[in-house]
Amino acid sequence: MATNYETFEYDVLVIGAGGAGLRAAIEASAAGVKVGLICKSLLGKAHTVMAEGGMAAAMGNVDDRDNWRVHFADTMRGGQYVNNWRMAELHAKEAPERVHELEAWGAVFDRTKDGKILQRNFGGHRYPRLAHVGDRTGLELIRTLQDHGIHQGIAVHMEHTVVTLLKDGDRVVGALGYDRERGRFKIFKAGAVVMATGGIGRAFKITSNSWEYTGDGQSLAYDAGAELMDMEFVQFHPTGMIWPPSVMGLLVTEAVRGEGGVLRNKDGKRFMFDDIPDNYKPQTATDPEEGWRYTQGDKNAKRPPELLTRDHVARCINREVKAGRGSPHGGVFLDIAWIKEKLPNAAEHIKRKLPSMYHQFKQLADLDITQEPMEIGPTTHYIMGGIRVNGDSQMSNVPGLFAAGEAAAGLHGANRLGGNSLSDLIVFGKRAGEFAAKFAKEHGAGRINEAQVEEAARRALEPFDRGAKAGGNAEGPYQVQHDLQEMMQSLVGIVRREDEMARALDGIGKLSQRAGQVAVFGHREYNPGWHTALDLKNLLTVSEAITRSAIERKESRGGHFREDFPNKDAADGKVNVVVRKNSDGTMNVRRETIPDLPAELKQVIEEMK
Amino acid sequence: MKTVTFRIWRGDAGGGKFTDYTTDVSEGMVVLDVVHKIQATQANDLACRWNCKAGKCGSCSAEINGIPRLMCMTRMNTLPTDQPVTLEPMRAFPNIRDLTTDVSWNFRVKTKIKKFNPRKPDAPDGTWRMQQADVDRVQEFRKCIECFLCQDVCHVLRDHHKHDEFIGPRFLVYTAALEMHPLDTEDRLPELKQAQGIGFCNITKCCTKVCPENITITDNAIIPLKERVVDDFYDPLGWLWKKLRPKV
C-alpha cells in the first residue's frame, strides 16, 4: 500500500521555485503556516534566472509622469484587451511596493543619479519603467528571494518532480512526486497547493526555455479538473540567437533595443519603420533620430518601432525572412554597435549596460557585439495562457489549487509586455501565498486517497516495465519529444492556419500513442530518460490545449496570428477561450465572455489612448 | 563536422569508471551539446544537470579535461579533439551519479550566514538612497550564479576536506556582498574568523581563475574580508582604541 512512501505534511505546498513560487512560499510562511517548496532543479536555477531586462513597476523614478494608470493602460493595450483586467489593475498598483520590498531584502538595483532605483525603457511601456540590474535582473530577483526565503523556515525539496495532484472530493489536498536522486515516490499532503511551475517552451523546437518547461503545472492542474485559459497565446520573443545552431533560441534581451539597438535586414534597411500598427502610431517615433533620442532618455521623443510589442516585432522579422531579405542563417540583424556613431566610448558603454549579452555572444558565437551586428530570429519564450484563476486570490476553479506566475493566465492577455513577467511573479506570487495560507487555515488537511497514489505510482513506472520487456527494441522518449517539438514549431508556430492545426491535432493523437509506449532503461536513480518519458504526457496535454484553443480563435490577436484570419474580430475580442477535461478524458473547449470593465478602468484606458 | 571521443565518468557514490563515446561535432557546439547528443542517442540514462544553457544558472558544472568549467560555456573548438575529451563530475563533492554531485552542503552553509539586515529607510516612503558608485562593488559579487566551481577548485575543500571548518570562496563572496552592502548593519566578522574559517584561505586565487562570471573573488572579496578580520581582532592599536574610546 501507499503508506510506505515517505510523507510530508504542510499547510501550503508550493510547486515550483522560481520568482512566483519563492514569493508565494515566503508570503505563506510569513502568515504563520507550514510551507513546503518543491523545485524540479536545484534552488535558484529556475527560469527566472534567465530574465534579463527588468521588472516593470510604475515608481516614476526616472519619469514622474508614470503611475499605475499608465502601466495598467499599457498592459491592457499590449494584451489587446483580452486580459483579466482585475489582475492588470492589481499588478499595476502593487508592483512598486513589491519592488521596494525586494530592496529591503537585499536586492541591489542600478541607481539613478539621486540614488533611487533606476528604470529603463522597454517595449510597450510608455515611460522608463523597468527596475533592473544590468541585464541580469532575473538573477537578482531569484537570489534575493532565495536568500531571504532560506531564513523563513520553508522546507525546500530540491530536484523533486510532481507526477500528480491528489484530491479529496473536489478539493486538492496534496501531490505525489519523486526525487531525482533516488527515484523514490513521496507524498506531500497540503491544505492548499500553489502551482508556480512556469511555462511550456519545450513543446516547441526553437525555444529560450530549458528542459524543465514542459507544462507540468498546466497539465497537472488540468488533470485535476482546473480550467486552462488563453492557451492559444504563446509569445515568440523576436530576438533569439540563431547562430551557431547549438544556441538557437537562446534569448537576446529586449534591453539591447531599449539601449538603442536597431533591427536591419540584409540590405541594411531598418524595416521596423515600414509597419507600425495604428493603435501605436501616436506613441512611435517618426524617424530614426527621434527613436535614438528616446532611448537616451529624451522625454519629448517617442519610442523607436523596434520597441513595439513582441508579437508585432516577431512577425515583422518573420516577414523579412520569408521575403528573402533575411540574414545568412535565416534571421535578421540586431545592431547595437552602430551607436558608436553617437557616443564616445560606445564599446565600454555597451559592455556596462549589457554585460551578459556581451559575454554570451563573445563566448558562444565568437562575436563582439560592440563591433558587429548580431543575427537573431524569433524564439518560443512565454505562454500568456495557463491556469484560470481568480484575479484577487489566484485560486483556480478547483478548491485549494492556486496558481501564480507564468503557470497562471490572465494578466497578459494576448501578449505580454517585456518586464511585466518579473513583476507578475512578485505581485501574484505574494497574493497566491497569502490566499493559499488563508485557505489552508480555514480548511485544514484533507484525506489522501491511497488508491489514487498507487495508481499514479504504477503508471509512472510503466516505462521501465516496457523497457524490461522490450529489451532494447522499443522506442525511447527523446525521439517522441523531438517529433512533437518539430511538429508544433511548424504547424502551430508564429503563423497559424486551420488546416495545419488540424494536422497538428492528428499528430498529437499519434504522438500520444507513441508516448504511451515509450520504454526506459536503467534504474530509477537520476535517470533523465525516465524523467523525459514522464514529462511527455504534460507536453502533449499543453500542446493539445494550445492547438485546440488556437483553432477556436478565428482571428489574429497578440501572440496568436492566423494567416486565414489575419485581422482582429470584434466578437472574438470579447471572449477568452477556456479548456477543461471532460469526464471521458477528452478536451472541452468553450468561449467565455470577458466581464465588462468597471467605468473607472474604462476611463483610464480612454485617457491613455 | 568532426568526430570526437568523449571519455565520460559513469558511476555513483559507490565508484565507477570512464566510458568512451564517439560522436560527430558540428560548428559552434559546446560540451553540453555533445553530452546531450550522447544522452539522446547512445546513453539515455546519462545523468547531468543543466538548465539555461547560457552560463546564467550555474547548473552544468563539471571538470572538462581536469579543469572545473561550465559545460554550456565551453566551446568544442577551444578543446583539442585529436585526443579524448575527459568529462567528470566536480570532485570536491560526493558523486550522485555520472556528472551530478551532491552539492547540498553549499545550501546548508548559506543558511548559517546571518541574513541581510538593512538600516532604517532613508525616505519617509520607506525607500533608500544609494549611489551607483557605492553599489558597483556589491553588484560584482551578486553576479555569482552559484555554480560552485570555485568551491570545487579550492584545495581547502577539495584536498583537505575542511567542509566543517571553512565555508569556501562562494560563501566568502556571499558574505562580502552582505558586509559591503551600503544598507547592511550586521556584523559577520566573528563568525568569519571562527566557524567560517576565513584564515584557511591562503589566497592561491584558483577560485578567481575558474569563475565563469569573472568575479575577482580573491582580490575584491576575500582579501578585504581578511583585512577587516585582522583589523578587528589582531590590530593592537585598534584593540586599544576600541577599549578606550567613549561609548556612544
Side-chain angles (χ1 to χ4, degrees):
Chain A
M1 280 309 285
T3 42
N4 57 9
Y5 296 135
E6 193 175 359
T7 302
F8 299 88
E9 295 188 21
Y10 300 112
D11 296 308
V12 173
L13 177 71
V14 181
I15 304 173
L22 276 164
R23 188 64 190 79
I26 288 170
E27 194 64 19
S29 71
V33 302
K34 193 174 168 197
V35 181
L37 177 63
I38 294 182
C39 27
K40 206 169 171 180
S41 290
L42 296 174
L43 186 61
K45 309 297 185 195
H47 224 281
T48 302
V49 105
M50 293 288 286
E52 293 158 350
M55 57 191 95
M59 299 183 285
N61 289 354
V62 172
D63 192 322
D64 59 15
R65 290 173 294 181
D66 202 13
N67 58 53
W68 79 264
R69 287 181 178 80
V70 192
H71 192 183
F72 168 78
D74 286 350
T75 301
M76 293 296 291
R77 189 187 303 108
Q80 313 250 352
Y81 305 104
V82 293
N83 322 48
N84 176 329
W85 49 259
R86 177 63 177 159
M87 285 173 76
E89 179 193 5
L90 290 170
H91 171 254
K93 283 180 174 166
E94 294 176 6
E97 199 182 327
R98 294 286 84 76
V99 171
H100 287 139
E101 187 174 69
L102 292 174
E103 189 153 271
W105 295 344
V108 185
F109 292 102
D110 287 353
R111 317 307 296 183
T112 63
K113 286 211 166 64
D114 55 355
K116 295 180 186 170
I117 294 171
L118 181 61
Q119 300 185 269
R120 71 157 44 118
N121 285 313
F122 234 59
H125 294 281
R126 180 172 290 195
Y127 301 119
R129 187 176 287 148
L130 270 65
H132 62 278
V133 186
D135 53 5
R136 57 162 191 84
T137 315
L139 174 67
E140 189 70 15
L141 171 65
I142 200 166
R143 201 65 84 228
T144 300
L145 294 174
Q146 176 188 343
D147 294 349
H148 182 73
I150 57 174
H151 297 285
Q152 297 281 107
I154 300 160
V156 182
H157 299 270
M158 290 198 275
E159 299 197 306
H160 280 63
T161 304
V162 170
V163 293
T164 195
L165 291 176
L166 301 173
K167 290 186 76 179
D168 179 1
D170 281 346
R171 186 186 155 195
V172 165
V173 291
L176 176 75
Y178 66 85
D179 67 297
R180 294 175 78 73
E181 185 172 341
R182 297 271 170 252
R184 290 169 303 205
F185 291 112
K186 293 180 182 177
I187 296 172
F188 301 93
K189 293 177 73 170
V193 172
V194 179
M195 276 294 176
T197 50
I200 55 90
R202 297 304 280 185
F204 293 84
K205 181 183 166 197
I206 301 173
T207 177
S208 61
N209 291 189
S210 85
W211 66 273
E212 296 187 293
Y213 299 90
T214 50
D216 298 10
Q218 292 89 342
S219 169
L220 294 169
Y222 170 82
D223 283 336
E227 293 175 334
L228 306 181
M229 187 175 88
D230 294 341
M231 292 296 283
E232 69 275 29
F233 296 125
V234 176
Q235 180 167 79
F236 299 92
H237 193 292
T239 59
M241 286 176 82
I242 55 168
W243 189 259
S246 74
V247 296
M248 189 178 278
L250 204 62
L251 197 65
V252 180
T253 176
E254 194 166 317
V256 175
R257 285 169 282 146
E259 298 295 343
V262 299
L263 292 166
R264 292 188 216 276
N265 63 21
K266 77 169 174 47
D267 309 319
K269 182 167 195 271
R270 260 182 94 172
F271 56 86
M272 287 305 298
F273 275 103
D274 296 352
D275 179 7
I276 299 167
D278 288 340
N279 60 337
Y280 278 97
K281 274 205 176 115
Q283 36 175 291
T284 305
T286 47
D287 57 62
E289 187 54 35
E290 184 181 7
W292 166 251
R293 283 191 285 114
Y294 175 89
T295 64
Q296 299 312 298
D298 181 343
K299 289 182 182 176
N300 297 316
K302 287 174 287 188
R303 67 174 157 238
E306 276 83 1
L307 290 176
L308 286 164
T309 53
R310 290 175 173 178
D311 53 333
H312 180 74
V313 180
R315 274 194 300 280
C316 289
I317 292 170
N318 212 41
R319 181 195 65 211
E320 290 303 304
V321 175
K322 280 200 170 161
R325 297 189 290 267
S327 65
H329 299 106
V332 295
F333 295 105
L334 171 61
D335 188 4
I336 183 78
W338 80 276
I339 68 170
K340 63 187 166 212
E341 297 165 20
K342 296 283 186 185
L343 291 178
N345 301 324
E348 283 315 307
H349 176 80
I350 294 166
K351 283 187 213 171
R352 190 161 46 80
K353 289 285 185 184
L354 304 162
S356 68
M357 280 306 105
Y358 173 76
H359 198 56
Q360 182 174 313
F361 274 88
K362 193 83 188 151
Q363 265 186 287
L364 294 174
D366 263 338
L367 187 139
D368 181 348
I369 65 168
T370 68
Q371 302 302 323
E372 291 173 84
M374 301 158 247
E375 258 191 275
I376 56 88
T379 178
T380 315
H381 183 52
Y382 189 89
I383 186 158
M384 277 65 77
I387 301 165
R388 187 178 187 215
V389 292
N390 174 289
D392 288 81
S393 70
Q394 298 289 290
M395 191 162 90
S396 70
N397 60 302
V398 178
L401 180 63
F402 297 75
E406 190 174 353
L411 170 61
H412 310 295
N415 174 60
R416 175 176 69 83
L417 297 184
N420 268 1
S421 180
L422 291 187
S423 44
D424 174 11
L425 307 182
I426 48 180
V427 168
F428 293 106
K430 179 201 180 268
R431 282 186 163 267
E434 178 185 337
F435 284 90
K438 188 164 173 276
F439 184 94
K441 278 182 189 168
E442 285 167 7
H443 293 82
R447 197 180 54 84
I448 299 290
N449 176 343
E450 293 198 353
Q452 196 199 349
V453 171
E454 284 305 317
E455 172 63 10
R458 188 187 61 74
R459 288 174 68 162
L461 293 175
E462 278 176 353
F464 284 111
D465 302 338
R466 288 192 290 267
K469 273 191 207 129
N473 295 320
E475 185 175 40
Y478 291 99
Q479 190 59 44
V480 179
Q481 187 190 39
H482 179 261
D483 291 353
L484 174 68
Q485 291 165 340
E486 288 272 353
M487 189 191 77
M488 289 299 286
Q489 187 78 34
S490 64
L491 300 183
V492 200
I494 302 178
V495 177
R496 297 163 173 173
R497 279 176 17 200
E498 188 102 17
D499 57 332
E500 290 186 345
M501 292 192 285
R503 271 167 53 208
L505 273 186
D506 190 46
I508 289 167
K510 289 182 181 134
L511 286 163
S512 296
Q513 287 181 352
R514 278 170 64 193
Q517 295 305 316
V518 294
V520 169
F521 306 97
H523 49 73
R524 281 160 67 175
E525 294 178 12
Y526 223 113
N527 186 337
W530 182 38
H531 308 148
T532 305
L534 295 178
D535 290 345
L536 274 179
K537 191 184 128 318
N538 300 332
L539 277 177
L540 284 157
T541 299
V542 293
S543 296
E544 184 181 346
I546 292 166
T547 310
R548 288 195 189 279
S549 304
I551 291 173
E552 181 64 29
R553 189 171 284 280
K554 295 185 192 333
E555 63 157 354
S556 292
R557 184 178 297 270
H560 172 66
F561 185 78
R562 293 275 304 249
E563 205 172 45
D564 42 1
F565 298 98
N567 300 311
K568 268 186 236 170
D569 178 86
D572 276 11
K574 293 187 171 20
V575 297
N576 294 119
V577 177
V578 174
V579 304
R580 73 182 298 170
K581 197 174 185 174
N582 288 321
S583 52
D584 65 356
T586 55
M587 193 173 278
N588 176 288
V589 185
R590 70 168 202 277
R591 295 163 157 249
E592 187 81 25
T593 303
I594 300 169
D596 268 343
L597 261 85
E600 186 207 345
L601 295 180
K602 226 177 240 171
Q603 197 192 333
V604 171
I605 288 174
E606 282 306 314
E607 278 169 19
M608 302 293 165
K609 263 198 174 140
Chain B
M1 197 78 91
K2 252 195 297 197
T3 303
V4 180
T5 297
F6 263 59
R7 186 159 289 169
I8 303 179
W9 171 263
R10 300 299 309 265
D12 54 31
K17 62 179 176 45
F18 285 96
T19 304
D20 284 1
Y21 299 92
T22 301
T23 187
D24 290 334
V25 169
S26 54
E27 187 186 343
M29 275 173 102
V30 294
V31 169
L32 185 60
D33 292 318
V34 180
V35 170
H36 281 158
K37 199 169 167 198
I38 292 168
Q39 197 181 49
T41 53
Q42 303 179 45
N44 274 193
D45 62 346
L46 171 62
C48 80
R49 281 197 183 102
W50 71 283
N51 279 302
C52 76
K53 216 176 165 293
K56 292 191 170 75
C57 77
S59 299
C60 63
S61 307
E63 298 186 5
I64 302 166
N65 287 340
I67 299 170
R69 306 178 73 163
L70 294 178
M71 292 193 283
C72 73
M73 296 303 276
T74 306
R75 280 169 62 109
M76 286 305 299
N77 65 3
T78 63
L79 300 172
T81 48
D82 51 345
Q83 51 202 353
V85 174
T86 63
L87 201 51
E88 55 194 310
M90 289 193 285
R91 292 301 190 187
F93 304 110
N95 193 198
I96 292 178
R97 208 176 139 208
D98 305 337
L99 298 175
T100 60
T101 46
D102 179 358
V103 291
S104 58
W105 171 79
N106 293 286
F107 291 89
R108 288 194 299 276
V109 168
K110 194 188 242 185
T111 60
K112 292 180 191 150
I113 297 167
K114 283 185 196 154
K115 69 185 222 183
F116 176 65
N117 184 6
R119 69 179 184 228
K120 290 221 159 47
D122 301 330
D125 64 353
T127 60
W128 286 272
R129 300 290 177 270
M130 291 184 274
Q131 287 304 308
Q132 185 61 43
D134 296 327
V135 299
D136 279 343
R137 182 166 63 164
V138 174
Q139 285 186 332
E140 183 197 2
F141 304 148
R142 291 183 68 88
K143 286 194 302 185
C144 172
I145 56 174
E146 301 202 328
C147 62
F148 306 128
L149 290 171
C150 58
Q151 308 286 69
D152 183 44
V153 81
C154 176
H155 65 104
V156 182
L157 299 170
R158 186 188 181 95
D159 300 326
H160 304 290
H161 310 289
K162 296 282 185 196
H163 293 75
D164 293 335
E165 298 163 71
F166 180 56
I167 58 175
R170 160 60 192 137
F171 295 104
L172 292 172
V173 168
Y174 177 69
T175 306
L178 289 164
E179 285 288 303
M180 299 180 197
H181 194 304
L183 306 183
D184 185 70
T185 58
E186 199 62 78
D187 177 14
R188 299 172 187 80
L189 297 183
E191 294 92 327
L192 269 183
K193 172 175 173 274
Q194 295 296 332
Q196 296 167 357
I198 192 170
F200 280 109
C201 168
N202 58 347
I203 51 176
T204 52
K205 301 196 181 186
C206 307
C207 51
T208 305
K209 277 194 202 102
V210 301
C211 179
E213 284 292 310
N214 300 312
I215 301 171
T216 14
I217 301 175
T218 319
D219 290 353
N220 286 0
I222 300 181
I223 292 176
L225 284 183
K226 277 175 172 279
E227 287 170 351
R228 289 180 184 206
V229 168
V230 168
D231 284 351
D232 246 37
F233 294 98
Y234 301 105
D235 175 4
L237 288 175
W239 177 84
L240 195 65
W241 165 241
K242 267 178 270 174
K243 283 280 175 204
L244 297 177
R245 76 176 159 195
K247 298 273 180 279
V248 279

